[in-house]
Amino acid sequence: MEVVSRGIMELTGYRPEEIIGNKELPYSDLIYTEDREMVWEQIQESFTAGDLYEIEYRIVTRSGQLKYVLKRGKVVAGESGGEVFVEGFI
């Protein structure tokens, strides 16, 4: 993740600077183990289709609490056309 709001603290217990650029923790590590493959597959499908996606899944917070989140996003091509990234919110 390149941009993370301060709201991540209330949601996960982690500060934005801990997650941005995977500095201390990749956001994907917060996704509940049993949900990771499903999340990955749905995002990959949206890459192929070039479509919006909406995924509900679970995360594990710093304190170990399990929370449900809703992620909405879209695959976007960068300015050069070859670079692809996901833009969205949780």
Side-chain angles (χ1 to χ4, degrees), residues 40-60:
W40 174 255
E41 288 174 359
Q42 286 191 20
I43 291 174
Q44 294 308 307
E45 287 175 16
S46 73
F47 271 44
T48 303
D51 203 4
L52 298 170
Y53 65 86
E54 183 174 289
I55 309 168
E56 185 176 325
Y57 59 94
R58 297 167 287 185
I59 62 168
V60 180

Side-chain angles (χ1 to χ4, degrees), residues 18-81:
E18 292 177 284
I19 294 174
I20 293 173
N22 300 333
K23 185 174 181 181
E24 295 178 35
L25 177 75
Y27 177 80
S28 60
D29 284 359
L30 299 179
I31 299 172
Y32 188 62
T33 305
E34 293 177 18
D35 293 351
R36 286 182 191 166
E37 186 175 340
M38 176 270 300
V39 171
W40 174 255
E41 288 174 359
Q42 286 191 20
I43 291 174
Q44 294 308 307
E45 287 175 16
S46 73
F47 271 44
T48 303
D51 203 4
L52 298 170
Y53 65 86
E54 183 174 289
I55 309 168
E56 185 176 325
Y57 59 94
R58 297 167 287 185
I59 62 168
V60 180
T61 68
R62 175 173 264 170
S63 67
Q65 182 182 8
L66 196 62
K67 289 186 176 181
Y68 280 86
V69 296
L70 179 66
K71 181 174 187 174
R72 292 181 177 159
K74 179 175 175 69
V75 177
V76 179
E79 292 178 17
S80 64

